[in-house]
Amino acid sequence: MSRIHPSSSSSENKISNDPVKVSSSPKLTTLTVWKRSSMSFQGTDGFTVYDGHGRLAFRVDNYSRNNGWSCATNEAATPLVLMDGSGRPLLTLKPQIFSFQSQWNGCVYREDHKGSSNKDRTIFLMRRPSSTFFGRTRNQESQCEAEVFFNHHTEPEYRIEGSFWNRNSRIRSIARGEVVAKIIRKRTGGGSSSSTMVLSEEVFSLVVSPGFDPQLIMAFVVILDRICYKPSLFTPLMCS
């Protein structure tokens, strides 16, 4: 199998096992997302994310789709934790039970003053738009797949368009009217298009525009994995 993380012939870009802290940057950020937990336990279903030098940037480890139930998604109702490369929790992603729009809440992980019990402060919510409740056709790749709301606003601040499971999505800032991140197929190999190979849907690229937080965008990706429709011959009413 080809290497999934970014590669380079330069010595300073050799693959390292050291975790790297990724934050908002004035430069374009390109991450390689692998739809597999960095842990090897059987039944785990997570993400391993590398930065441009092949260093571990984000992780979502050891959760299963078969240990719970959530209305409208038929997915596990267990919260997911987005961590940095060293395993430090960054954001807790919680499904909203009995939500017919598959709503998830993004929360900041924190502890109380005694350092014993955990509390979460919700910073955003993400859900499918009501127009997708009865499914979508295979040619509706320009249709909105999800919307993101901050600070209890009634209007979304971000809209995810395209087809997530075809790895052809755009995360758009509604206020700015610009694309702030793209989810695209991962290519590996030589520099020319004729010598490159497109990897499977399990490995894809996440490109974040300058000035935006890759941590927040990666949280969107994790939720998209839970609420978006998988391509199939017959469009289901619910996410599979």
Side-chain angles (χ1 to χ4, degrees):
M1 175 180 178
S2 301
R3 287 176 15 171
I4 65 165
H5 43 64
S7 59
S8 172
S9 58
S10 115
S11 59
E12 65 180 2
N13 285 339
K14 287 183 178 179
I15 301 304
S16 169
N17 291 325
D18 297 330
V20 59
K21 177 177 173 56
V22 180
S23 57
S24 297
S25 169
K27 298 181 180 180
L28 190 75
T29 300
T30 300
L31 301 171
T32 298
V33 183
W34 191 13
K35 184 65 181 63
R36 179 175 295 184
S37 171
S38 62
M39 304 180 73
S40 59
F41 300 139
Q42 184 177 3
T44 60
D45 179 20
F47 289 90
T48 304
V49 186
Y50 299 96
D51 75 346
H53 299 290
R55 297 173 297 185
L56 191 60
F58 299 116
R59 296 162 47 189
V60 177
D61 285 335
N62 197 27
Y63 66 88
S64 172
R65 292 177 183 269
N66 301 314
N67 62 351
W69 183 85
S70 177
C71 183
T73 64
N74 200 27
E75 295 285 355
T78 305
L80 312 178
V81 178
L82 176 66
M83 299 175 285
D84 65 13
S86 63
R88 180 175 65 92
L90 301 172
L91 293 171
T92 304
L93 310 176
K94 298 181 176 181
Q96 185 73 37
I97 307 301
F98 303 116
S99 169
F100 287 97
Q101 289 178 261
S102 304
Q103 177 174 313
W104 283 66
N105 302 314
C107 309
V108 174
Y109 179 94
R110 62 180 182 176
E111 295 180 343
D112 63 11
H113 66 283
K114 297 181 180 179
S116 55
S117 61
N118 297 330
K119 297 180 179 180
D120 291 320
R121 177 172 58 88
T122 300
I123 60 172
F124 74 87
L125 65 87
M126 183 173 175
R127 68 191 183 202
R128 296 207 321 261
S130 57
S131 60
T132 64
F133 179 71
F134 291 105
R136 58 187 291 181
T137 61
R138 291 171 61 87
N139 62 354
Q140 287 180 304
E141 292 201 357
S142 62
Q143 183 175 325
C144 176
E145 292 225 285
E147 296 173 327
V148 184
F149 299 78
F150 284 83
N151 301 320
H152 305 289
H153 289 170
T154 57
E155 296 296 327
E157 294 193 29
Y158 293 95
R159 178 173 288 119
I160 293 88
E161 304 166 345
S163 174
F164 173 72
W165 280 103
N166 286 327
R167 308 312 186 203
N168 181 25
S169 291
R170 301 162 301 281
I171 301 176
R172 187 181 302 276
S173 169
I174 297 176
R176 299 191 184 191
E178 62 178 337
V179 174
V180 304
K182 294 181 180 180
I183 298 165
I184 58 178
R185 297 293 296 269
K186 176 72 177 179
R187 294 178 178 271
T188 185
S192 64
S193 58
S194 60
S195 61
T196 61
M197 180 178 68
V198 179
L199 301 184
S200 73
E201 293 84 356
E202 296 296 300
V203 182
F204 55 93
S205 295
L206 175 63
V207 183
V208 183
S209 298
F212 291 90
D213 187 2
Q215 170 183 307
L216 184 64
I217 300 299
M218 186 59 212
F220 295 169
V221 171
V222 175
I223 297 175
L224 283 170
D225 179 72
R226 285 296 176 119
I227 69 175
C228 289
Y229 299 112
K230 294 181 181 178
S232 61
L233 293 176
F234 302 98
T235 304
L237 288 177
M238 303 300 178
C239 294
S240 59

